[in-house]
Amino acid sequence: MARIAYVDGRYLPLRAATVPVEDRGFQFADGIYEVVKRIGGRLIDADRHLARLRRSLAALRIDLPVSDAALHRIVKQTIARNALADALVYLQVSRGTAPRNHPFPADTRPSLVVTVRRLKLPTEAERQKGCAVITHPDERWARCDIKSTGLLANVLAKQAAQEAGCREAWLVASGPAGDVITEGSSTNAWIVDEHGVLRTHPATQRILGGVTRSVVLEQARELGIPLAERAFSPAELARAREAFLTSATSLVLPVTSVDGRPVANGMPGDTTRRLMDRYAAHCGLPAEPPVRG
Ligand code: PMP
């Protein structure tokens, strides 16, 4: 079935849906986006995604061009027109269309695009075996907390991962106390360190505060897992007992190899599996089958 997109007040077949060449999203990546998944007819963590959308917009001083109620209607309509129970809803807001000039244009209405595509969750084999990542320099700007459509450094990192036969690139930035892993090119990065403490980079301007990350942090606390929102170094990663990544579309996914070397014994760890199951339940998905011997 042909996909339908919402573009500034109109529902159009995706292949006919366009924005003007002078759209500032196209000219300057002057816009933000949000990605929400829908499973079994239910939008997962819609409120948290909407709150982050609002934060990103506020940080760039872009106004949402429609009311909250209208946005809900548009998302609902776009989903209905695409007839998918399990779907990925993509929202993008740019500062709008104006003759190309760097400063904000006066009186320009921001543009809103909503698209829906099929949700592709990790396969059972990926969940059971875990995935491979590379480390890669973090070449992004200093406001990674804004979900900007300016993703060139993320694109280059993901491409490097793909060329290395890996699912993701974990980004290495220099911090005051040496190199640290900030996050993945489109996922948040986690380890269970050599002392058994669950670690992930704190939600500073150097990472995107993942919605999945925020849910998994709460669930780890509920499960009584020792936890520190403290960055880990590539050396700590090399000594980690477990590693995994999170995102709305990857869910909780074990990382079992880094730069071609196994993480611990190369199998998903216990803490990772507990969090995978807990997060799957949050999404209304079945738990993992037990490890096959
Ligand atoms: N970091 C980056 C750079 C991302 O692009 C994403 C995906 N939006 C995430 C982390 C994970 O965020 P979420 O859990 O909200 O999908």
Side-chain angles (χ1 to χ4, degrees), residues 33 49 52 147 154 183-188 208 210-212 247-248:
Y33 72 108
H49 283 286
R52 187 172 64 185
K147 202 163 168 58
N154 307 60
E183 61 179 331
S185 68
S186 65
T187 57
N188 288 111
L208 183 76
V211 167
T212 319
S247 77

Side-chain angles (χ1 to χ4, degrees), residues 4-13 16-18 74 78 81 112 114:
I4 302 295
Y6 170 91
V7 184
D8 282 330
R10 300 207 297 159
Y11 293 92
L12 300 160
T18 54
I74 291 162
T78 315
R81 286 172 191 248
L112 171 64
V114 180

